[in-house]
Amino acid sequence: MSNNGVIGIIGAMDEEIAQLLGEMEQVQQQTFYNITYYAGTLCATPVVLCKSGVGKVNAAVCTQTLIDRFQVEAVLFTGVAGALHPDLDIGDLVISTECQQHDIDASAVGFPKGTVPFQDVSIFPADPALVAWAAEAGRRIAGVNVMTGKVLSGDQFISDANKVRELREQFAGACVEMEGAAVAHVCHLAGVPYVVIRSMSDRADHTADVNFAEFTELASERSAHIVREILRLRLQK
């Protein structure tokens, strides 16, 4: 990965891209498949920023468009998630070492839950350099716990303690959200490095709906900080 190629940056919601968009320069926008892409510079780096929308299909379409239309050489997905690991609290950060879909289930025909049938890879590894830079950036935020681990994705908003326990035990996930594994899947097929950066907005339990609204802004600010620092660290390498 060079230090002057275009970087794709994705968030699922307005709150997750607003701060970064406000800091971009020389912005030009294009729309494909009802998704608006903002091309410009951020931290002296050419980037394309976009809001995918919620869910795995939206995230996959967005990622493929970044690769095909804008020839991005890496993808950063930033935003919020629900904590699964017991050591994580609201505002803490998870940097993906890998991603997996938790809601794909062909167990009735002999495939383990979370496995994409007839495909060699169902757990998609993140790029080690991007993971290291993101973790380093996170450790610079005072008072925030930074964890590297598996990000689980599914088209479900998790707000049940029993489901949290099930996901933790079955898949060893650090956090759960609705897009990252789709981004990872597309990047894996295309040979494009990626990393998912998630700030915990809730504990994915019965308080998730309240906590999500209250802490999304704080969580999004911390995720945006990580993105900026990754771009700066990349230029130094």
Side-chain angles (χ1 to χ4, degrees):
M1 186 169 55
S2 67
N3 63 2
N4 58 1
V6 180
I7 303 298
I9 305 171
I10 308 173
M13 302 183 299
D14 287 324
E15 296 90 340
E16 294 171 340
I17 70 166
Q19 188 169 350
L20 294 172
L21 181 58
E23 297 170 8
M24 285 178 61
E25 299 175 339
Q26 301 173 318
V27 178
Q28 296 183 331
Q29 66 183 65
Q30 298 181 67
T31 300
F32 301 105
Y33 311 116
N34 290 321
I35 298 171
T36 300
Y37 297 82
Y38 302 93
T41 58
L42 179 67
C43 302
T45 300
V47 302
V48 179
L49 175 69
C50 54
K51 180 188 77 171
S52 65
V54 175
K56 293 187 296 180
V57 173
N58 283 328
V61 169
C62 184
T63 305
Q64 193 66 59
T65 303
L66 284 172
I67 293 168
D68 289 344
R69 298 272 186 169
F70 298 97
Q71 291 81 52
V72 298
E73 70 165 33
V75 174
L76 314 179
F77 195 104
T78 176
V80 299
L84 295 177
H85 195 287
D87 292 342
L88 288 170
D89 207 345
I90 291 170
D92 289 342
L93 291 161
V94 171
I95 312 301
S96 68
T97 53
E98 56 192 6
C99 292
Q100 184 176 14
Q101 299 178 64
H102 68 78
D103 62 344
I104 188 166
D105 184 0
S107 56
V109 289
F111 295 93
K113 287 183 178 181
T115 297
V116 181
F118 312 112
Q119 183 168 293
D120 291 338
V121 178
S122 296
I123 301 173
F124 306 102
D127 180 73
L130 292 174
V131 173
W133 294 339
E136 181 179 343
R139 287 191 288 268
R140 297 178 182 180
I141 305 176
V144 177
N145 179 29
V146 180
M147 180 180 293
T148 57
K150 182 190 286 186
V151 173
L152 299 180
S153 306
D155 288 317
Q156 304 166 358
F157 184 89
I158 305 300
S159 59
D160 179 82
N162 291 328
K163 186 65 173 179
V164 169
R165 183 170 57 254
E166 175 189 325
L167 292 175
R168 180 71 188 150
E169 291 175 353
Q170 189 161 33
F171 299 109
C175 67
V176 62
E177 36 87 301
M178 300 177 70
E179 296 86 22
V183 173
H185 193 157
V186 173
C187 286
H188 172 76
L189 294 176
V192 172
Y194 87 92
V195 70
V196 173
I197 304 140
R198 290 294 190 177
S199 185
M200 302 303 101
S201 62
D202 59 82
R203 296 295 300 271
D205 57 15
H206 67 281
T207 64
D209 56 339
V210 176
N211 290 340
F212 179 82
E214 184 176 353
F215 292 99
T216 290
E217 184 174 354
L218 170 64
S220 296
E221 287 177 2
R222 289 178 173 172
S223 293
H225 169 84
I226 302 296
V227 169
R228 289 192 298 269
E229 289 302 308
I230 288 175
L231 297 179
R232 294 186 180 111
L233 287 167
R234 176 174 164 271
L235 287 176
Q236 295 170 12
K237 303 303 178 181

